[in-house]
Amino acid sequence: MTALTLSTAGAATLRADALVVGVAKAGKTLVVAPGAEAVDKAFDGRLAAVLETLGASGGEGEATKLPAPAGLKAPVVLAVGLGSAPEEGESYDSETLRRAAGTAARVLSGTKKAAFALPVASAEAVGAVAEGALLGAYSFDALKEQKDGKKPLAEVALLGAKPRDKAHKAAADRALAVAEEINRARDLINMPPNDLYPATFAAAAQAAGKDHGLKVQVLDEKALAKGGYGGILGVGAGSVNPPRLVRIAYTHPKAERTLALVGKGITYDSGGISLKPAGHNETMKCDMSGAAAVFATVVAAARLGLEVNVTGWLALAENMPSGSATRPGDVLRMYGGKTVEVLNTDAEGRLVLADAITKASEEHPDAIIDVATLTGAMVLALGERTFGIMANDDDYRTAIHEIAGEVGEQSWPMPLPADLRKTMDSPTADMANMGVRMGGGLIAGLFLQEFVGEGITWAHLDIAGPAFHEGAPFGYTPKGGTGSSVRTLVRLAELTAAGEL
């Protein structure tokens, strides 16, 4: 993992392999962002002019390298674009800084130490730059025998941040904990399904539990059968790798509220008997992204010492076709007794989540939030960078949407139209796992709502779009697993601990 330090050294005097500065657009003029004054001075006040000559415009995502002049200890200067310069008296927003730092960290892969001279006047800005750099430096190469690629940036030194300032230090410490847990989630998502299956995922949770003082309980296939978890067992019936339900809990002695987080953990989704066509199954190792996000959030809450109880439920199964697999038309008796006719075995995530939500409800938490790569319909509706939010409480849905925006995650509130519920009626069971095709993401939310305990606030995050990025990296977002929703969930836990939700 990339090391993080706060440095009081000047940009001109700190020894590093590269020096990162910010540039922005002020009308038609390129300007150097605060924090880089000493660097600009080393260029005789002509840093912006030199960068313009090299074609830099200051646009977000832009990165321009140039050799450092005499007067700087670092041999290379990297200028990253911050977009439009803020109005006088205002500052760069956190997400702009986060993405710029992430871009710089990616560009500087193979570098040992980089000094970041970006605008960090506030603790919030310190946290954003630190988080962006640590996330941008991420690389998954654990399974590569030949390490022929560049290693991730080894050390980030934040210039202008004050190591003796309690707010700055706290912001940096928080950024480190959150970024490392997001990267934990990314690692799990990127693991191939022959290495990560329900039993090994559960083992990872147990190992983390020992490291961070968490209580971990694992229900194997025998315990699931004894307990009547028909949804999880039905989804996992076709695989040689049996399912698991993991409860991983962080508790604080002063906590007055409890959050239950439920994650979909389909470690590989072939679609089952309703087999996915070629072109739709190659990345289905990522169908456990919700469980990875929940797992990472619980550990982050523990590392941050939040005064709130956070219980994670990881519903783990592998959805495979075989002679023992659940068939379209089968009826499953879910945990709690409700029966569900399975019309499509590729609508399996809601089945494992339903069992876990019912179980979580028995503990009477103040709120349940489930997280899942649940429907392709949500991707069609919102695209590949935005997750949908549904809830049985409009104010809670709005709060989560606002929290996501605060931490830099794109989301959008979605409705739960009551008229769609009747399309899941079944002649042979209490309900079916499918309804009409149009509005499929909303129907999935309506299905899950049926299993929430009475009087419990509930929200559903469908992260099918942003959970796994197949395109070129951008900002702090890598190719592959992203760790989508972890920042939102951690901030939700913080605000719940503070009594603001």
Side-chain angles (χ1 to χ4, degrees):
M1 182 67 187
T2 302
L4 174 67
T5 58
L6 304 185
S7 177
T8 56
T13 58
L14 182 70
R15 292 189 180 277
D17 299 293
L19 188 56
V20 179
V21 300
V23 291
K25 294 183 285 187
K28 296 182 179 180
T29 305
L30 187 70
V31 296
V32 178
E37 292 83 359
V39 181
D40 190 32
K41 183 178 180 180
F43 279 89
D44 296 326
R46 292 184 47 79
L47 176 57
V50 171
L51 288 167
E52 281 186 309
T53 301
L54 295 174
S57 67
E60 287 193 32
E62 184 180 83
T64 308
K65 273 185 180 181
L66 64 164
L72 297 180
K73 297 291 186 182
V76 173
V77 172
L78 175 66
V80 289
L82 299 173
S84 297
E87 298 293 330
E88 186 175 351
E90 297 182 1
S91 57
Y92 291 93
D93 69 81
S94 294
E95 181 62 6
T96 295
L97 295 175
R98 194 180 287 113
R99 291 186 180 184
T103 297
R106 283 192 299 101
V107 171
L108 293 173
S109 61
T111 303
K112 289 184 178 181
K113 182 176 180 179
F116 283 65
L118 294 173
V120 288
S122 67
E124 182 181 355
V126 169
V129 173
E131 192 173 85
L134 294 169
L135 293 176
Y138 173 81
S139 176
F140 182 75
D141 55 8
L143 301 178
K144 293 181 179 179
E145 185 67 25
Q146 296 182 346
K147 311 285 186 180
D148 52 355
K150 294 180 180 179
K151 292 182 179 180
L153 173 63
E155 183 182 348
V156 170
L158 294 192
L159 306 184
K162 304 168 185 175
R164 294 186 180 181
D165 184 300
K166 289 184 178 180
H168 283 205
K169 180 68 164 57
D173 289 345
R174 180 190 183 278
L176 181 64
V178 173
E180 286 185 346
E181 293 313 314
I182 290 172
N183 288 339
R184 180 198 297 272
R186 290 171 169 181
D187 281 348
L188 289 167
I189 296 164
N190 289 328
M191 286 291 287
N194 59 323
D195 285 334
L196 188 75
Y197 42 91
T200 54
F201 198 144
Q206 289 173 315
K210 289 180 181 179
D211 291 340
H212 299 284
L214 307 173
K215 186 175 181 180
V216 182
Q217 297 168 292
V218 179
L219 298 184
D220 63 13
E221 65 272 28
K222 292 181 180 178
L224 291 170
K226 184 177 180 180
Y229 294 85
I232 297 174
L233 288 167
V235 173
S239 175
V240 296
N241 294 310
R244 297 286 187 270
L245 177 61
V246 178
R247 180 185 186 273
I248 179 168
Y250 160 71
T251 58
H252 192 285
K254 295 183 180 180
E256 296 181 355
R257 306 197 69 194
T258 297
L259 289 177
L261 308 179
V262 179
K264 174 187 172 184
I266 305 300
T267 56
Y268 181 74
D269 181 20
S270 71
I273 298 298
S274 306
L275 193 66
K276 293 180 185 290
H280 291 77
N281 55 19
E282 290 81 0
T283 60
M284 282 299 102
K285 66 180 183 180
C286 78
D287 214 17
M288 37 57 67
S289 297
V294 166
F295 176 23
T297 300
V298 176
V299 179
R303 292 180 62 174
L304 296 172
L306 303 183
E307 291 187 16
V308 60
N309 298 327
V310 184
T311 304
W313 298 88
L314 317 180
L316 310 176
E318 191 174 69
N319 187 24
M320 296 291 287
S322 74
S324 61
T326 295
R327 296 153 293 222
D330 283 355
V331 173
L332 303 179
R333 186 170 295 277
M334 312 294 285
Y335 181 77
K338 188 170 292 186
T339 57
V340 174
E341 181 183 11
V342 179
L343 298 180
N344 187 325
T345 64
D346 197 22
E348 84 300 327
R350 64 200 71 181
L351 299 174
V352 301
L353 287 172
D355 275 359
I357 289 171
T358 303
K359 182 61 177 177
S361 296
E362 292 181 349
E363 298 185 358
H364 305 289
D366 293 285
I368 295 174
I369 301 95
D370 76 74
V371 191
T373 46
L374 204 60
T375 64
M378 196 59 62
V379 185
L380 290 173
L382 299 179
E384 295 180 336
R385 297 190 183 183
T386 304
F387 62 78
I389 309 170
M390 285 160 259
N392 60 4
D393 181 310
D394 287 351
D395 290 339
Y396 201 63
R397 180 186 64 187
T398 298
I400 294 175
H401 175 52
E402 292 175 349
I403 289 168
E406 176 189 340
V407 300
E409 295 198 290
Q410 295 175 218
S411 70
W412 197 252
M414 302 294 283
L416 290 169
D419 60 289
L420 291 178
R421 166 60 186 87
K422 62 184 178 182
T423 70
M424 288 185 284
D425 288 347
S426 166
T428 56
D430 293 319
M431 62 188 304
N433 76 328
M434 294 287 289
V436 293
R437 182 185 178 195
M438 299 302 172
L442 312 182
I443 286 172
L446 287 164
F447 180 92
L448 296 177
Q449 187 177 28
E450 295 282 323
F451 297 87
V452 179
E454 186 176 353
I456 299 175
T457 300
W458 160 79
H460 161 57
L461 311 185
D462 190 337
I463 61 171
F468 195 85
H469 180 57
E470 295 186 65
F474 65 94
Y476 51 81
T477 301
K479 186 179 180 69
T482 65
S484 174
S485 79
V486 173
R487 284 181 287 151
T488 297
L489 294 173
V490 170
R491 187 60 182 147
L492 176 69
E494 288 175 328
L495 293 175
T496 301
E500 297 182 32
L501 282 178

